[in-house]
Amino acid sequence: MAVLIYTENAGGKFKKSTFEAISYARAIADETGTTLTAISIGDVDPGELALPGKYGTDKVLHVCNGQLKNFINQAYASVIAEAAKKENADIVVLSNSFSGRGLAPRIAVKLDAGLADGVISLPEISGSQFRVKKTAFSGKAFAIFELTSAKKVISLSPNAYQVVEKHAEGKIEEFIPELKPTDFKALVKEVIQSADKVSLPDAEIVVSGGRGLKGPENWGMLEELASLLGAATACSKPVSDAGWRSHSEHVGQTGITVSPNLYIAVGISGAIQHLAGVSSSKVIVVINKDPEAPFFKVADYGIVGDAFEVVPKLIAAVKEYKASA
Amino acid sequence: MKILVCISNVPDTTTKITFTDNNTQFNTNGVQFILNPYDEIALARAIELTEGGKGTVTVINVGEVSTEPTIRKALAIGADDAVRINAKPHDAWFVAKQIASYIQQNSYDLVLTGRESIDYNGSKVAGMLGELLDIPSVSIIKKLDIEGDLAVVEREIEGGKEILSIQLPFVAGAAEGVAEPKIPNMRGIMSARTKPLAVVEPVEVSTNLTFSGFEIPAARGQVKLIPTDDSASLIGLLHTEARVI
Ligand SMILES: Cc1cc2nc3c(=O)[nH]c(=O)nc-3n(C[C@H](O)[C@H](O)[C@H](O)COP(=O)(O)OP(=O)(O)OC[C@H]3O[C@@H](n4cnc5c(N)ncnc54)[C@H](O)[C@@H]3O)c2cc1C
Ligand SMILES: Nc1ncnc2c1ncn2[C@@H]1O[C@H](COP(=O)(O)O)[C@@H](O)[C@H]1O
């Protein structure tokens, strides 16, 4: 028995969501009295492979193969499933990132495992019962279900579990998988990363703007506030529909779902389709000149006022706070 | 080219979600069901790709007879024919097994799903289908073009995107950007009534997951309003009280 965690990297570095998933997987391994093995595929910076050990990983399988340099869903799923079999892992943990969403269902089918996707807390384990919880109905409810299969695949929502340092050996082993040519029918031609920006789905703080900002030329102040806070920027759907911002920033029912520690909504009315993508944020701040805006009903802090007056004040206050910190 | 579009029938986001039987059953009473918004995007792209006699679009749904209005809507939008697998969609695994079994008997060049169904937001069906059929799958795509038996797709990744080249057949989950949803016109609505809708009985599937129940999230406390003149104090509160910065 063992728990296997897939450690995803971006540009050679493990992601924050990976450390969350390692900590989560460690807690499950402790609860079930087994060991934790990590698997890393593709190019990671030398030195990175030592990090899983700091968060409780007993063993790190390192797959280094030119053909697996870029993410190939089908091939990566085969490699992870093969590692799970070799390690005799009955639980495989991934983070519910864009890549994780591609991998988890394939791995579950390969291992004949039940799949708990996008879980938000540790499983409740008692005897052979294994219960997990996830958000459903666009954040309007939680669904609780039980995995009844012997093998289980779990993908963890970003920002749902706290990273915990815990020393373990983290012994690095090369793992040489068997590659099937039929797993390489999809090939990555190009990877385009928007430089220097905090990635929206992983961000701990999100500064988001709506139609109340009037036009793309007014985003400078949101960018400034975001960069001071180390935040990602986001927007409402009409804003990206109008081409003021890119579609990759649009959050909500038809866009990205975020669950940051802090979501700051500026000039967004708070339509239900928008809330669907942000309601699991831990703290919500709403800045809107209309005191009747529905967003205030789900906010923790609110400022009724003109964004063009309020945001510059916030920028000044953050600068002051940073200078004194 | 033969395209299969998987469609799900989901509660409209704007309807109120409630549960019965001690929070174990979703209360469908008074709930407005719609064609899953992402599936509408997938369908729209499938229609564009086959326009002008270049192919056919079949929609498939795993659902009971109550889902037929949603299937007819897809036909009205422009699908050529439809299949309903006559069963309650227990979970993604059940749905994927049904659809995979149908595809194995009626091959398709391309299978499209939505990126996720807006009820359980799983993003599971596309990957499971890919694995069951042993073909490539991409869970969330933002763009899809086809040239012969090769497709170019854009996949979303954290903080960027990836351009992939994929051999047909494959499965992909459509998201915003792939196409603009199409609104049915009068001719579509009229012809939808007579387009073929085949009803197929389900195959046997062993389950690996059971629902235990639901919880309604705790309501957020009352919003703390900060006077505009005192906006700056928000930053202090976020640090000392909310502890998020
Ligand atoms: C099927 C479907 C799916 C959808 N999916 C999404 C989705 O994923 N994401 C999404 O966001 N929307 C989505 N929508 C659209 C959604 O219903 C709303 O129309 C949208 O969220 C409104 O965007 P907004 O708040 O930016 O604009 P508005 O509703 O126009 O609100 C602008 C707000 O700005 C305030 N304001 C104006 N000027 C100022 C100022 N100077 N200072 C401060 N405040 C100001 C106003 O009081 C108002 O509250 C969807 C709709 C449908 C039908
Ligand atoms: N009952 C169903 N019948 C047909 N297709 C479905 C069904 N449920 C889900 N799908 C498809 O799978 C996609 C992803 O759903 P999910 O994995 O449940 O998030 C949806 O967008 C649909 O395209």
Side-chain angles (χ1 to χ4, degrees), chain A residues 73 98 101 106 117 133-134 137 140 142 144 146 185 187 189-190 192-193 253 279 281 298 300-302 304, chain B residues 13 15 38 116 119-120 123-124 131 135 137 158-159 161 163 165 167 208 210 212-213 215 220 224 226 228 241:
Chain A
N73 195 12
F98 289 119
R101 283 173 187 230
R106 296 199 78 118
D117 61 287
K133 185 168 167 177
K134 67 169 291 186
F137 300 105
K140 286 192 267 186
F142 298 117
I144 295 148
E146 206 171 298
K185 289 179 180 163
L187 294 174
K189 291 286 164 206
E190 202 182 340
I192 302 160
Q193 286 281 359
Q253 183 201 306
S279 59
S281 307
V298 296
D300 299 285
Y301 298 94
V304 179
Chain B
T13 346
T15 51
Y38 301 112
E116 65 191 40
D119 46 6
Y120 294 102
S123 296
K124 292 163 67 161
E131 190 58 39
I135 56 176
S137 60
E158 284 76 8
K161 60 188 179 185
I163 319 281
S165 145
Q167 278 173 41
N208 50 31
T210 57
S212 320
E215 279 172 18
R220 280 179 199 267
K224 192 173 222 170
I226 294 156
T228 319
E241 191 178 84

CSV table of all heavy atoms in Angstrom, one decimal, chain A residues 73 98 101 106 117 133-134 137 140 142 144 146 185 187 189-190 192-193 253 279 281 298 300-302 304, chain B residues 13 15 38 116 119-120 123-124 131 135 137 158-159 161 163 165 167 208 210 212-213 215 220 224 226 228 241:
chain,number,residue,atom,x,y,z
A,73,ASN,N,-1.2,14.4,-22.3
A,73,ASN,CA,-2.2,13.9,-21.4
A,73,ASN,C,-2.1,12.3,-21.4
A,73,ASN,O,-2.0,11.7,-20.3
A,73,ASN,CB,-3.5,14.4,-21.9
A,73,ASN,CG,-4.6,14.2,-20.8
A,73,ASN,OD1,-4.3,13.9,-19.7
A,73,ASN,ND2,-5.8,14.4,-21.2
A,98,PHE,N,-5.5,22.5,-14.7
A,98,PHE,CA,-6.0,22.2,-16.0
A,98,PHE,C,-5.4,20.8,-16.5
A,98,PHE,O,-6.1,20.0,-17.0
A,98,PHE,CB,-5.6,23.3,-17.0
A,98,PHE,CG,-6.4,24.5,-16.8
A,98,PHE,CD1,-5.7,25.7,-16.5
A,98,PHE,CD2,-7.7,24.5,-17.0
A,98,PHE,CE1,-6.5,26.9,-16.3
A,98,PHE,CE2,-8.5,25.7,-16.8
A,98,PHE,CZ,-7.9,26.9,-16.4
A,101,ARG,N,-7.0,17.9,-14.4
A,101,ARG,CA,-8.3,17.5,-14.9
A,101,ARG,C,-8.3,16.6,-16.1
A,101,ARG,O,-9.2,15.8,-16.4
A,101,ARG,CB,-9.1,18.8,-15.3
A,101,ARG,CG,-9.6,19.6,-14.2
A,101,ARG,CD,-10.2,20.8,-14.8
A,101,ARG,NE,-10.6,21.7,-13.8
A,101,ARG,CZ,-11.8,22.3,-13.8
A,101,ARG,NH1,-12.7,22.1,-14.7
A,101,ARG,NH2,-12.1,23.2,-12.8
A,106,ARG,N,-8.4,9.7,-16.8
A,106,ARG,CA,-7.7,8.7,-17.6
A,106,ARG,C,-7.1,7.7,-16.6
A,106,ARG,O,-7.2,6.5,-16.8
A,106,ARG,CB,-6.7,9.3,-18.5
A,106,ARG,CG,-7.3,10.1,-19.6
A,106,ARG,CD,-6.3,10.3,-20.8
A,106,ARG,NE,-6.3,9.1,-21.6
A,106,ARG,CZ,-6.7,9.1,-22.9
A,106,ARG,NH1,-7.1,10.2,-23.5
A,106,ARG,NH2,-6.7,8.0,-23.6
A,117,ASP,N,-13.2,14.2,-7.9
A,117,ASP,CA,-12.5,15.3,-8.5
A,117,ASP,C,-12.8,16.6,-7.7
A,117,ASP,O,-13.9,16.8,-7.2
A,117,ASP,CB,-13.1,15.5,-9.9
A,117,ASP,CG,-14.6,15.7,-9.9
A,117,ASP,OD1,-15.3,14.7,-9.6
A,117,ASP,OD2,-15.0,16.9,-10.1
A,133,LYS,N,-15.7,15.4,-0.2
A,133,LYS,CA,-16.6,16.5,-0.3
A,133,LYS,C,-16.1,17.4,-1.4
A,133,LYS,O,-14.9,17.7,-1.6
A,133,LYS,CB,-16.6,17.2,1.0
A,133,LYS,CG,-17.5,18.4,1.1
A,133,LYS,CD,-17.5,18.8,2.6
A,133,LYS,CE,-18.2,20.1,2.8
A,133,LYS,NZ,-18.3,20.4,4.3
A,134,LYS,N,-17.0,17.9,-2.3
A,134,LYS,CA,-16.6,18.9,-3.3
A,134,LYS,C,-17.7,19.9,-3.5
A,134,LYS,O,-18.8,19.7,-3.0
A,134,LYS,CB,-16.4,18.1,-4.6
A,134,LYS,CG,-17.6,17.5,-5.3
A,134,LYS,CD,-17.4,17.1,-6.7
A,134,LYS,CE,-17.2,18.3,-7.6
A,134,LYS,NZ,-17.1,17.9,-9.0
A,137,PHE,N,-23.0,22.5,-8.1
A,137,PHE,CA,-24.0,23.5,-8.5
A,137,PHE,C,-23.4,24.9,-8.4
A,137,PHE,O,-23.9,25.8,-7.8
A,137,PHE,CB,-25.3,23.4,-7.6
A,137,PHE,CG,-26.0,22.1,-7.8
A,137,PHE,CD1,-25.9,21.2,-6.8
A,137,PHE,CD2,-26.7,21.8,-8.9
A,137,PHE,CE1,-26.5,19.9,-6.9
A,137,PHE,CE2,-27.3,20.6,-9.1
A,137,PHE,CZ,-27.2,19.6,-8.0
A,140,LYS,N,-23.1,26.6,-5.1
A,140,LYS,CA,-24.3,26.8,-4.3
A,140,LYS,C,-24.5,25.7,-3.3
A,140,LYS,O,-25.3,25.8,-2.5
A,140,LYS,CB,-25.5,27.0,-5.2
A,140,LYS,CG,-25.5,28.3,-5.9
A,140,LYS,CD,-26.8,28.6,-6.5
A,140,LYS,CE,-26.8,28.2,-8.0
A,140,LYS,NZ,-28.0,28.6,-8.7
A,142,PHE,N,-22.4,21.8,-1.4
A,142,PHE,CA,-21.4,20.8,-1.4
A,142,PHE,C,-22.0,19.5,-1.6
A,142,PHE,O,-23.1,19.2,-1.1
A,142,PHE,CB,-20.7,20.8,0.0
A,142,PHE,CG,-20.0,22.1,0.3
A,142,PHE,CD1,-20.4,22.8,1.5
A,142,PHE,CD2,-19.0,22.6,-0.4
A,142,PHE,CE1,-19.8,24.0,1.8
A,142,PHE,CE2,-18.3,23.8,-0.1
A,142,PHE,CZ,-18.8,24.5,1.0
A,144,ILE,N,-21.4,15.4,-1.1
A,144,ILE,CA,-20.6,14.4,-0.4
A,144,ILE,C,-20.8,13.1,-1.0
A,144,ILE,O,-22.0,12.7,-1.2
A,144,ILE,CB,-21.0,14.5,1.1
A,144,ILE,CG1,-20.7,15.8,1.7
A,144,ILE,CG2,-20.3,13.4,1.9
A,144,ILE,CD1,-21.6,16.3,2.7
A,146,GLU,N,-19.2,8.9,-1.6
A,146,GLU,CA,-18.3,7.8,-1.1
A,146,GLU,C,-17.7,7.1,-2.3
A,146,GLU,O,-18.4,6.7,-3.2
A,146,GLU,CB,-19.2,6.9,-0.4
A,146,GLU,CG,-18.5,6.1,0.7
A,146,GLU,CD,-19.5,5.4,1.6
A,146,GLU,OE1,-20.4,6.0,2.2
A,146,GLU,OE2,-19.4,4.1,1.5
A,185,LYS,N,-0.3,10.6,-29.9
A,185,LYS,CA,-1.0,11.1,-31.1
A,185,LYS,C,-1.4,12.6,-30.9
A,185,LYS,O,-1.9,13.2,-31.8
A,185,LYS,CB,-2.3,10.3,-31.3
A,185,LYS,CG,-2.0,8.9,-31.8
A,185,LYS,CD,-3.3,8.2,-31.9
A,185,LYS,CE,-3.1,6.8,-32.4
A,185,LYS,NZ,-4.3,6.0,-32.1
A,187,LEU,N,0.5,16.2,-29.8
A,187,LEU,CA,1.9,16.8,-29.6
A,187,LEU,C,1.8,18.3,-29.3
A,187,LEU,O,1.0,19.0,-30.0
A,187,LEU,CB,2.8,16.5,-30.7
A,187,LEU,CG,3.1,15.0,-31.0
A,187,LEU,CD1,4.0,14.8,-32.2
A,187,LEU,CD2,3.9,14.4,-29.8
A,189,LYS,N,2.9,21.9,-29.7
A,189,LYS,CA,3.6,22.6,-30.7
A,189,LYS,C,4.2,23.8,-30.1
A,189,LYS,O,5.3,24.3,-30.5
A,189,LYS,CB,2.7,23.0,-31.9
A,189,LYS,CG,2.2,21.9,-32.7
A,189,LYS,CD,3.3,21.4,-33.6
A,189,LYS,CE,3.0,20.0,-34.2
A,189,LYS,NZ,4.2,19.3,-34.5
A,190,GLU,N,3.5,24.4,-29.1
A,190,GLU,CA,4.0,25.7,-28.6
A,190,GLU,C,3.4,25.9,-27.2
A,190,GLU,O,2.2,25.6,-27.0
A,190,GLU,CB,3.5,26.8,-29.5
A,190,GLU,CG,4.3,28.1,-29.4
A,190,GLU,CD,3.7,29.1,-30.4
A,190,GLU,OE1,3.0,28.8,-31.3
A,190,GLU,OE2,4.0,30.3,-30.1
A,192,ILE,N,2.7,29.0,-24.6
A,192,ILE,CA,2.7,30.4,-24.5
A,192,ILE,C,2.3,30.8,-23.1
A,192,ILE,O,1.2,30.6,-22.6
A,192,ILE,CB,1.7,31.1,-25.5
A,192,ILE,CG1,2.1,30.6,-26.9
A,192,ILE,CG2,1.7,32.6,-25.4
A,192,ILE,CD1,1.0,30.8,-27.9
A,193,GLN,N,3.3,31.4,-22.4
A,193,GLN,CA,3.0,31.8,-21.0
A,193,GLN,C,3.0,33.3,-21.0
A,193,GLN,O,3.9,34.0,-21.6
A,193,GLN,CB,4.2,31.4,-20.1
A,193,GLN,CG,4.2,29.9,-19.7
A,193,GLN,CD,3.2,29.5,-18.6
A,193,GLN,OE1,2.5,30.4,-18.1
A,193,GLN,NE2,3.1,28.2,-18.3
A,253,GLN,N,-19.4,31.4,-14.4
A,253,GLN,CA,-20.0,30.1,-14.8
A,253,GLN,C,-19.4,29.7,-16.1
A,253,GLN,O,-19.1,28.5,-16.4
A,253,GLN,CB,-21.5,30.3,-15.0
A,253,GLN,CG,-22.2,29.1,-15.4
A,253,GLN,CD,-23.5,29.5,-16.0
A,253,GLN,OE1,-24.3,30.2,-15.4
A,253,GLN,NE2,-23.8,29.0,-17.2
A,279,SER,N,-17.6,32.3,-5.7
A,279,SER,CA,-18.2,32.2,-4.4
A,279,SER,C,-17.4,31.4,-3.3
A,279,SER,O,-17.6,31.5,-2.2
A,279,SER,CB,-19.6,31.7,-4.5
A,279,SER,OG,-19.6,30.4,-5.1
A,281,SER,N,-14.3,31.9,-2.7
A,281,SER,CA,-13.2,32.7,-2.2
A,281,SER,C,-13.4,32.9,-0.7
A,281,SER,O,-14.5,32.9,-0.3
A,281,SER,CB,-13.3,34.1,-2.9
A,281,SER,OG,-13.3,34.0,-4.3
A,298,VAL,N,-23.0,39.0,-0.8
A,298,VAL,CA,-22.1,37.8,-0.5
A,298,VAL,C,-20.7,38.3,-0.1
A,298,VAL,O,-19.7,37.6,-0.1
A,298,VAL,CB,-21.9,36.9,-1.7
A,298,VAL,CG1,-23.3,36.3,-2.1
A,298,VAL,CG2,-21.4,37.7,-3.0
A,300,ASP,N,-17.7,40.2,2.3
A,300,ASP,CA,-17.2,40.3,3.7
A,300,ASP,C,-17.0,41.8,4.0
A,300,ASP,O,-17.3,42.2,5.1
A,300,ASP,CB,-16.0,39.5,3.9
A,300,ASP,CG,-16.2,38.0,3.6
A,300,ASP,OD1,-16.9,37.3,4.4
A,300,ASP,OD2,-15.8,37.5,2.5
A,301,TYR,N,-16.4,42.5,3.0
A,301,TYR,CA,-16.1,43.9,3.2
A,301,TYR,C,-16.6,44.6,2.0
A,301,TYR,O,-16.5,44.1,0.9
A,301,TYR,CB,-14.6,44.2,3.3
A,301,TYR,CG,-14.0,43.5,4.5
A,301,TYR,CD1,-13.4,42.3,4.5
A,301,TYR,CD2,-14.0,44.2,5.8
A,301,TYR,CE1,-12.8,41.7,5.6
A,301,TYR,CE2,-13.5,43.6,6.9
A,301,TYR,CZ,-12.9,42.3,6.8
A,301,TYR,OH,-12.3,41.8,7.9
A,302,GLY,N,-17.2,45.8,2.2
A,302,GLY,CA,-17.7,46.5,1.1
A,302,GLY,C,-17.4,48.0,1.2
A,302,GLY,O,-17.3,48.5,2.3
A,304,VAL,N,-19.0,51.3,-0.6
A,304,VAL,CA,-20.0,51.9,-1.6
A,304,VAL,C,-19.3,53.2,-2.1
A,304,VAL,O,-19.1,54.2,-1.3
A,304,VAL,CB,-21.3,52.2,-0.9
A,304,VAL,CG1,-22.3,52.8,-1.9
A,304,VAL,CG2,-21.9,51.0,-0.3
B,13,THR,N,-28.3,28.0,-14.0
B,13,THR,CA,-27.5,28.6,-12.8
B,13,THR,C,-28.4,29.5,-12.0
B,13,THR,O,-28.2,29.6,-10.8
B,13,THR,CB,-26.4,29.5,-13.3
B,13,THR,OG1,-26.1,29.3,-14.6
B,13,THR,CG2,-25.2,29.4,-12.4
B,15,THR,N,-31.5,29.1,-11.1
B,15,THR,CA,-32.5,28.5,-10.3
B,15,THR,C,-32.0,28.3,-8.9
B,15,THR,O,-30.8,28.0,-8.7
B,15,THR,CB,-33.1,27.2,-10.9
B,15,THR,OG1,-32.0,26.4,-11.2
B,15,THR,CG2,-33.9,27.4,-12.1
B,38,TYR,N,-21.6,24.9,-22.0
B,38,TYR,CA,-20.4,24.5,-22.7
B,38,TYR,C,-20.7,23.6,-23.8
B,38,TYR,O,-20.0,23.5,-24.8
B,38,TYR,CB,-19.4,23.9,-21.7
B,38,TYR,CG,-19.0,24.8,-20.6
B,38,TYR,CD1,-19.3,24.5,-19.3
B,38,TYR,CD2,-18.2,25.9,-20.8
B,38,TYR,CE1,-19.0,25.3,-18.3
B,38,TYR,CE2,-17.9,26.7,-19.8
B,38,TYR,CZ,-18.2,26.4,-18.5
B,38,TYR,OH,-17.9,27.3,-17.5
B,116,GLU,N,-17.1,21.2,-18.8
B,116,GLU,CA,-17.7,20.6,-17.6
B,116,GLU,C,-19.2,20.8,-17.6
B,116,GLU,O,-19.7,21.6,-18.3
B,116,GLU,CB,-17.1,21.2,-16.3
B,116,GLU,CG,-17.4,22.6,-16.1
B,116,GLU,CD,-16.6,23.3,-15.0
B,116,GLU,OE1,-15.4,23.1,-14.9
B,116,GLU,OE2,-17.2,24.1,-14.3
B,119,ASP,N,-23.6,21.3,-13.2
B,119,ASP,CA,-24.1,20.9,-12.0
B,119,ASP,C,-23.0,20.4,-11.0
B,119,ASP,O,-22.9,20.9,-9.9
B,119,ASP,CB,-25.2,19.8,-12.2
B,119,ASP,CG,-24.9,18.7,-13.2
B,119,ASP,OD1,-23.7,18.7,-13.7
B,119,ASP,OD2,-25.7,17.9,-13.5
B,120,TYR,N,-22.2,19.4,-11.5
B,120,TYR,CA,-21.2,18.9,-10.6
B,120,TYR,C,-19.8,19.3,-11.0
B,120,TYR,O,-18.8,19.0,-10.4
B,120,TYR,CB,-21.2,17.3,-10.5
B,120,TYR,CG,-22.5,16.9,-9.8
B,120,TYR,CD1,-23.6,16.4,-10.6
B,120,TYR,CD2,-22.6,17.1,-8.5
B,120,TYR,CE1,-24.8,16.1,-9.9
B,120,TYR,CE2,-23.8,16.8,-7.8
B,120,TYR,CZ,-24.9,16.3,-8.6
B,120,TYR,OH,-26.0,16.0,-7.9
B,123,SER,N,-15.6,17.8,-15.2
B,123,SER,CA,-14.6,17.7,-16.3
B,123,SER,C,-14.1,16.2,-16.3
B,123,SER,O,-12.9,16.0,-16.4
B,123,SER,CB,-13.4,18.6,-16.1
B,123,SER,OG,-13.7,19.9,-16.2
B,124,LYS,N,-15.0,15.3,-16.2
B,124,LYS,CA,-14.5,13.9,-16.1
B,124,LYS,C,-14.8,13.1,-17.4
B,124,LYS,O,-14.1,12.3,-17.8
B,124,LYS,CB,-15.2,13.2,-15.0
B,124,LYS,CG,-14.7,13.7,-13.6
B,124,LYS,CD,-15.6,13.5,-12.4
B,124,LYS,CE,-15.9,12.3,-11.8
B,124,LYS,NZ,-16.4,12.2,-10.5
B,131,GLU,N,-9.9,7.6,-22.6
B,131,GLU,CA,-9.2,6.4,-22.1
B,131,GLU,C,-10.0,5.1,-22.5
B,131,GLU,O,-9.4,4.1,-22.9
B,131,GLU,CB,-9.1,6.5,-20.6
B,131,GLU,CG,-8.2,5.4,-20.0
B,131,GLU,CD,-6.8,5.4,-20.5
B,131,GLU,OE1,-6.2,6.5,-20.7
B,131,GLU,OE2,-6.2,4.3,-20.7
B,135,ILE,N,-8.0,6.9,-27.3
B,135,ILE,CA,-7.7,7.9,-28.2
B,135,ILE,C,-7.3,9.2,-27.3
B,135,ILE,O,-7.6,9.2,-26.1
B,135,ILE,CB,-8.8,8.3,-29.1
B,135,ILE,CG1,-10.1,8.6,-28.4
B,135,ILE,CG2,-9.1,7.1,-30.1
B,135,ILE,CD1,-11.3,9.0,-29.2
B,137,SER,N,-7.3,12.8,-25.5
B,137,SER,CA,-8.3,13.6,-25.0
B,137,SER,C,-7.7,14.9,-24.5
B,137,SER,O,-6.6,14.9,-24.0
B,137,SER,CB,-9.1,12.9,-23.8
B,137,SER,OG,-8.2,12.6,-22.8
B,158,GLU,N,-2.4,27.1,-16.7
B,158,GLU,CA,-2.4,28.2,-15.7
B,158,GLU,C,-1.4,29.2,-16.3
B,158,GLU,O,-0.3,29.0,-16.6
B,158,GLU,CB,-1.9,27.6,-14.4
B,158,GLU,CG,-2.9,26.9,-13.6
B,158,GLU,CD,-3.2,25.4,-14.1
B,158,GLU,OE1,-2.4,25.0,-14.9
B,158,GLU,OE2,-4.1,24.8,-13.6
B,159,GLY,N,-2.0,30.4,-16.4
B,159,GLY,CA,-1.1,31.6,-16.8
B,159,GLY,C,-0.7,31.5,-18.3
B,159,GLY,O,0.3,32.1,-18.6
B,161,LYS,N,-1.3,29.4,-22.4
B,161,LYS,CA,-1.9,28.4,-23.3
B,161,LYS,C,-0.9,27.6,-24.0
B,161,LYS,O,0.2,27.9,-24.1
B,161,LYS,CB,-2.9,29.1,-24.2
B,161,LYS,CG,-2.2,30.1,-25.2
B,161,LYS,CD,-3.2,30.8,-26.0
B,161,LYS,CE,-2.5,31.8,-26.9
B,161,LYS,NZ,-3.4,32.7,-27.6
B,163,ILE,N,-0.5,25.2,-27.6
B,163,ILE,CA,-1.0,24.8,-28.9
B,163,ILE,C,-0.6,23.4,-29.2
B,163,ILE,O,0.6,23.0,-29.1
B,163,ILE,CB,-0.4,25.7,-30.1
B,163,ILE,CG1,-0.3,27.2,-29.6
B,163,ILE,CG2,-1.2,25.5,-31.4
B,163,ILE,CD1,-1.5,28.0,-29.7
B,165,SER,N,-1.1,19.7,-31.7
B,165,SER,CA,-1.5,19.1,-32.9
B,165,SER,C,-1.9,17.7,-32.6
B,165,SER,O,-1.2,17.0,-31.9
B,165,SER,CB,-0.3,19.2,-33.9
B,165,SER,OG,-0.3,18.1,-34.7
B,167,GLN,N,-3.9,14.0,-33.8
B,167,GLN,CA,-4.5,13.1,-34.8
B,167,GLN,C,-5.9,12.7,-34.5
B,167,GLN,O,-6.2,12.4,-33.4
B,167,GLN,CB,-3.7,11.8,-34.9
B,167,GLN,CG,-2.4,11.9,-35.7
B,167,GLN,CD,-1.6,10.7,-35.6
B,167,GLN,OE1,-2.1,9.5,-35.6
B,167,GLN,NE2,-0.3,10.8,-35.4
B,208,ASN,N,-18.6,2.7,-8.8
B,208,ASN,CA,-17.5,2.8,-7.8
B,208,ASN,C,-17.7,4.1,-7.0
B,208,ASN,O,-16.7,4.5,-6.3
B,208,ASN,CB,-16.1,2.9,-8.6
B,208,ASN,CG,-16.1,3.9,-9.7
B,208,ASN,OD1,-16.8,4.9,-9.6
B,208,ASN,ND2,-15.3,3.6,-10.7
B,210,THR,N,-20.8,6.4,-4.7
B,210,THR,CA,-22.3,6.6,-4.3
B,210,THR,C,-22.4,8.0,-3.6
B,210,THR,O,-21.5,8.4,-2.9
B,210,THR,CB,-22.8,5.5,-3.3
B,210,THR,OG1,-21.9,5.5,-2.2
B,210,THR,CG2,-22.8,4.2,-4.0
B,212,SER,N,-23.7,10.5,-0.9
B,212,SER,CA,-24.2,10.4,0.4
B,212,SER,C,-25.1,11.5,0.8
B,212,SER,O,-26.0,11.4,1.6
B,212,SER,CB,-23.0,10.4,1.4
B,212,SER,OG,-21.9,9.7,0.9
B,213,GLY,N,-24.8,12.7,0.2
B,213,GLY,CA,-25.7,13.8,0.5
B,213,GLY,C,-25.2,15.1,0.1
B,213,GLY,O,-24.1,15.2,-0.5
B,215,GLU,N,-24.6,19.5,1.3
B,215,GLU,CA,-24.6,20.5,2.3
B,215,GLU,C,-24.8,21.9,1.7
B,215,GLU,O,-24.3,22.1,0.6
B,215,GLU,CB,-23.3,20.5,3.1
B,215,GLU,CG,-23.2,19.4,4.2
B,215,GLU,CD,-21.8,19.4,4.7
B,215,GLU,OE1,-21.0,20.3,4.6
B,215,GLU,OE2,-21.5,18.3,5.3
B,220,ARG,N,-22.4,33.7,4.4
B,220,ARG,CA,-21.4,34.7,4.8
B,220,ARG,C,-22.0,35.6,5.8
B,220,ARG,O,-23.2,35.9,5.7
B,220,ARG,CB,-20.8,35.5,3.7
B,220,ARG,CG,-19.8,34.7,2.9
B,220,ARG,CD,-19.3,35.5,1.7
B,220,ARG,NE,-18.7,34.6,0.7
B,220,ARG,CZ,-17.4,34.3,0.7
B,220,ARG,NH1,-16.6,34.8,1.6
B,220,ARG,NH2,-17.0,33.4,-0.2
B,224,LYS,N,-19.3,44.0,6.0
B,224,LYS,CA,-18.8,45.1,6.8
B,224,LYS,C,-18.6,46.3,5.9
B,224,LYS,O,-17.7,46.2,5.0
B,224,LYS,CB,-17.5,44.7,7.5
B,224,LYS,CG,-17.0,45.7,8.6
B,224,LYS,CD,-15.8,45.0,9.3
B,224,LYS,CE,-15.9,45.2,10.8
B,224,LYS,NZ,-14.9,44.5,11.6
B,226,ILE,N,-17.4,49.9,4.7
B,226,ILE,CA,-16.4,50.9,5.1
B,226,ILE,C,-16.7,52.2,4.4
B,226,ILE,O,-16.9,52.2,3.2
B,226,ILE,CB,-15.0,50.4,4.7
B,226,ILE,CG1,-14.7,49.1,5.5
B,226,ILE,CG2,-13.9,51.4,4.9
B,226,ILE,CD1,-13.7,48.2,4.9
B,228,THR,N,-16.5,55.5,2.4
B,228,THR,CA,-15.6,55.8,1.3
B,228,THR,C,-14.4,56.6,1.7
B,228,THR,O,-13.3,56.4,1.3
B,228,THR,CB,-16.4,56.6,0.2
B,228,THR,OG1,-17.6,56.0,0.0
B,228,THR,CG2,-15.7,56.6,-1.1
B,241,GLU,N,-7.6,41.7,10.6
B,241,GLU,CA,-8.8,41.0,11.0
B,241,GLU,C,-9.0,39.8,10.1
B,241,GLU,O,-9.2,38.7,10.5
B,241,GLU,CB,-10.0,42.0,10.8
B,241,GLU,CG,-11.3,41.5,11.3
B,241,GLU,CD,-12.4,42.5,11.2
B,241,GLU,OE1,-13.0,42.6,10.1
B,241,GLU,OE2,-12.6,43.3,12.1
